[in-house]
Amino acid sequence: MYVIAYVCMMGPRVKALREAMDLSLRDLAERSGVSAPMLSQVERGETSPTLQVASRIAGGLELRLSQLLRLDEDGAVSVVRASERRRGPTRGGVGGHEYEILTPPLPGQRAELSRHALAPGAVTGGPGDPPMHEPGSRETALVESGAVVLVIDGASHELAAGDCVTFDADLPHHFENPGEGEAVLLAVVSAGLRRS
């Protein structure tokens, strides 16, 4: 009964996820096997799809049906406890870059917050670090402690504790810690936003 109620209200979510993936109705129709007119009616709330059709739409959006319907979420608030942070691979020695993803891995989420700790001389963007961000991504970074240098598209920008920077994250970039102590920064990446 609850699943049917969620299916009836999924139209706006389908539209938001489709647009976030930069898919047209025709693109999603090809990926899901559900006709574009049916998808349009679902998105406008003019019809409620069967569970089979909803499942095919979810597949076209690269989600499980439970993710599309948000059945595997515990309400509108998601808390990630300090002990639950997802840690990236630790690189010792010269690498010295450790990072944690602080946001939960929710479907359709368009921004991710991470915390980066850089040992003296460490640089982000090495083996085991997150891949380059998708086209149109933007990043905002706040230096929590220490000092870093942002090198982006061939230009260097020195940042001290408390400084905040926003840039196009799809350009080649990395952070360096030129100091003698650890540097920590928080970074928010907003994925797939189009440049104006």
Side-chain angles (χ1 to χ4, degrees), residues 91 94-97 118-127 129 173-177:
R91 294 171 50 227
V94 176
H97 174 213
L118 294 167
V123 176
T124 65
D129 283 352
H173 68 277
H174 66 269
F175 289 94
E176 302 174 354
N177 178 3

Side-chain angles (χ1 to χ4, degrees), residues 110-187:
R110 302 304 296 159
E112 182 175 86
L113 173 65
S114 56
R115 181 179 186 274
H116 301 257
L118 294 167
V123 176
T124 65
D129 283 352
M132 187 61 63
H133 306 296
E134 67 182 75
S137 298
R138 299 275 291 165
E139 183 168 341
T140 298
L142 169 68
V143 181
E144 190 176 275
S145 64
V148 298
V149 175
L150 168 64
V151 179
I152 179 165
D153 209 23
S156 296
H157 306 272
E158 295 182 9
L159 304 167
D163 290 348
C164 188
V165 63
T166 299
F167 57 92
D168 290 334
D170 54 0
L171 296 175
H173 68 277
H174 66 269
F175 289 94
E176 302 174 354
N177 178 3
E180 296 180 5
E182 181 180 71
V184 176
L185 61 98
L186 297 172

